[in-house]
């Protein structure tokens, strides 16, 4: 992290968290943040469901909800980006305040509720983005929709021609009953609709499924089976958690999804279990609590082909993406691996 970035972070932490989030994105768009481009090497170059990544370190959905900062984010050090979530109609989300820093826990709690400008403006920005790293869209459903399952397909049909991949997000805890769509029957029907739209795109794109970290072993096994039978391209594990175990911050009992450091072990165990259940038949993405190269490497060794981060940027700045990528390269070299693929799942059993 540069001295200027440290000063900027200290200043942002004096503001309301959601105001700071908005201001950080404005600063990025104005060229006030480091944009060195993605760090890469022969060891880090990899493919994820057919996507060519210069490095496996991705930006998770939620930071750039409306795809407003893509030109700068594509040069910020990430090997791939996910924006959104996008819903068919614009919606304001839940009442404020709805984002809380848990500084003592290096964590955050949010209950945004899929606030976004809707699929129209987001698709237009995706269509105009520059060439560079792969960019995907997190698909969501409107809170007031009569058919939430159909909303995911609707967003894919509208935005799919302009995205490199899409993620079905049925795991946010901040839209009432959304997680009910993770049940086997509901999820099978939802994904069937999404995959039908995908097949009709001029260029079918990879479709991922993002799951919660609060699933029971039986629920996880059902999701793995659905994933394998519906033909989706991969699974992102995991979204935020409803657990509040071991927290110390004043905002620990706020409603919403918890992200950041306390999520690391829980999400990594889910990832390893999912890796065993799917037997390497589809790629997995590890997300949850990553703040350094060792943790990113642990996700890969637990079964992830790539990783994503977000909350770590709140405490370590956007340059953390490049730092993690460089650190990963060094760890792969140290262990004699010639590629990310060589390391995937090599320590899975230790998390089971």
């Amino acid at each position: 992290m540069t001295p200027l970035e440290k000063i900027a972070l200290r200043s942002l932490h004096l503001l309301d968290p959601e105001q700071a989030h908005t201001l950080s994105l404005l600063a990025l768009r104005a060229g006030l943040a480091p944009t060195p481009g993605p760090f890469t090497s022969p060891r880090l170059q990899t493919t994820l469901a057919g996507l060519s990544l210069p490095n496996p370190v991705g930006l998770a959905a939620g930071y750039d909800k409306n795809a407003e900062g893509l030109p700068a984010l594509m040069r910020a050090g990430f090997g791939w980006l996910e924006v959104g979530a996008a819903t068919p109609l614009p919606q304001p989300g839940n009442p404020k305040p709805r984002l809380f820093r848990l500084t003592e826990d290096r964590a955050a709690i949010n209950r945004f509720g899929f606030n976004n400008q809707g699929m129209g403006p987001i698709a237009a920005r995706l269509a105009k983005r520059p060439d560079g790293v792969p960019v995907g869209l997190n698909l969501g459903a409107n809170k007031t929709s009569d058919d939430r399952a159909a909303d995911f397909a609707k967003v894919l049909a509208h935005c799919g021609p302009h995205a490199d991949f899409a993620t079905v997000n049925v795991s946010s805890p901040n839209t009432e009953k959304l997680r009910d769509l993770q049940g086997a029957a509901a999820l099978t029907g939802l994904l069937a609709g999404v995959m039908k739209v995908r097949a009709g795109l001029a260029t079918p794109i990879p479709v991922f499924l993002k799951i919660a970290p609060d699933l029971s072993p039986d629920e996880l096994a059902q999701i793995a089976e659905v994933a394998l039978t519906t033909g989706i391209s991969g699974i992102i594990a995991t979204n935020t958690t409803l657990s509040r175990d071991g927290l110390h911050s004043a905002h620990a009992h706020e409603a919403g999804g918890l992200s950041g450091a306390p999520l690391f072990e829980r999400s990594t165990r889910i990832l390893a279990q999912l890796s065993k259940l799917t037997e390497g038949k589809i790629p997995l993405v590890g997300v949850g609590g990553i703040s350094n190269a060792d943790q990113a490497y642990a996700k890969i060794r637990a079964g992830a082909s790539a990783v994503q981060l977000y909350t770590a940027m709140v405490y370590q700045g956007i340059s953390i993406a490049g730092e993690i990528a460089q650190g990963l390269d060094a760890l792969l070299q140290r262990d004699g691996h010639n590629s990310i693929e060589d390391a995937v799942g090599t320590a899975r059993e230790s998390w089971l």
Side-chain angles (χ1 to χ4, degrees):
M1 189 191 310
T2 66
L4 181 60
E5 196 173 5
K6 289 181 181 179
I7 293 170
L9 273 182
R10 284 198 294 268
S11 300
L12 287 173
H13 279 222
L14 298 174
L15 303 174
D16 166 80
E18 188 165 351
Q19 290 178 331
H21 177 191
T22 301
L23 187 58
S24 72
L25 190 54
L26 287 172
L28 184 71
R29 294 169 61 190
L32 300 179
T35 51
F39 178 83
T40 190
S41 76
R43 278 182 293 269
L44 291 179
Q45 291 170 4
T46 189
T47 59
L48 176 68
L51 301 170
S52 296
L53 312 183
N55 71 58
V57 182
L59 174 66
Y63 177 68
D64 189 2
K65 294 178 181 292
N66 296 303
E68 296 174 298
L70 285 178
L73 281 171
M74 293 173 79
R75 302 189 305 272
F78 295 100
W80 58 301
L81 306 172
E82 186 175 341
V83 298
T87 54
L89 300 175
Q91 61 181 23
N94 294 322
K96 299 178 181 179
R98 54 194 181 182
L99 177 63
F100 306 89
R101 290 188 207 96
L102 281 68
T103 304
E104 296 90 339
D105 300 300
R106 306 289 280 186
I109 291 173
N110 91 82
R111 51 173 181 262
F112 280 118
F114 283 170
N115 57 308
N116 73 106
Q117 296 170 6
M119 65 186 184
I122 292 172
R125 295 187 190 109
L126 286 170
K128 294 178 181 177
R129 77 185 191 275
D131 293 332
V133 301
V135 177
L137 179 65
N138 192 280
L139 312 177
N142 282 117
K143 183 177 181 179
T144 57
S145 175
D146 293 330
D147 189 348
R148 288 182 178 170
D151 278 7
F152 293 93
K154 191 178 296 184
V155 177
L156 179 61
H158 191 80
C159 299
H162 312 298
D164 295 313
F165 67 93
T167 298
V168 174
N169 183 1
V170 292
S171 52
S172 171
N174 301 317
T175 297
E176 187 180 1
K177 297 185 179 179
L178 183 71
R179 286 190 171 187
D180 292 350
L181 293 173
Q182 292 180 121
L187 185 59
T188 298
L190 186 158
L191 290 175
V194 168
M195 297 304 284
K196 182 177 179 180
V197 169
R198 174 191 179 271
L201 295 175
T203 303
I205 60 176
V207 172
F208 299 105
L209 173 67
K210 189 168 188 177
I211 66 170
D214 305 319
L215 298 164
S216 69
D218 286 345
E219 290 170 330
L220 193 63
Q222 289 177 5
I223 284 179
E225 184 177 355
V226 170
L228 292 171
T229 56
T230 54
I232 64 168
S233 309
I235 302 175
I236 298 178
T238 67
N239 211 321
T240 57
T241 182
L242 294 173
S243 170
R244 297 294 187 267
D245 293 345
L247 299 182
H248 302 93
S249 302
H251 293 300
H253 299 293
E254 290 287 348
L258 173 73
S259 61
L263 183 56
F264 178 76
E265 289 197 12
R266 176 184 290 262
S267 63
T268 308
R269 284 196 300 270
I270 290 286
L271 170 69
Q273 291 167 24
L274 197 57
S275 174
K276 185 173 183 178
L277 287 166
T278 56
E279 300 177 336
K281 293 176 182 176
I282 58 174
L284 307 177
V285 175
V287 55
I290 297 172
S291 62
N292 56 52
D294 287 324
Q295 290 175 323
Y297 194 41
K299 296 277 190 190
I300 290 166
R301 298 186 72 219
S305 295
V307 298
Q308 290 180 323
L309 53 93
Y310 175 6
T311 304
M313 292 163 49
V314 174
Y315 299 102
Q316 295 167 262
I318 199 165
S319 62
I320 187 67
E323 292 170 8
I324 288 177
Q326 291 186 54
L328 263 179
D329 190 55
L331 289 168
L332 290 167
Q333 183 180 36
R334 180 199 68 187
D335 291 348
H337 296 309
N338 295 317
S339 67
I340 292 290
E341 290 82 355
D342 289 347
V344 173
T346 53
R348 185 183 71 190
E349 299 303 315
S350 66
W351 288 96
L352 298 175

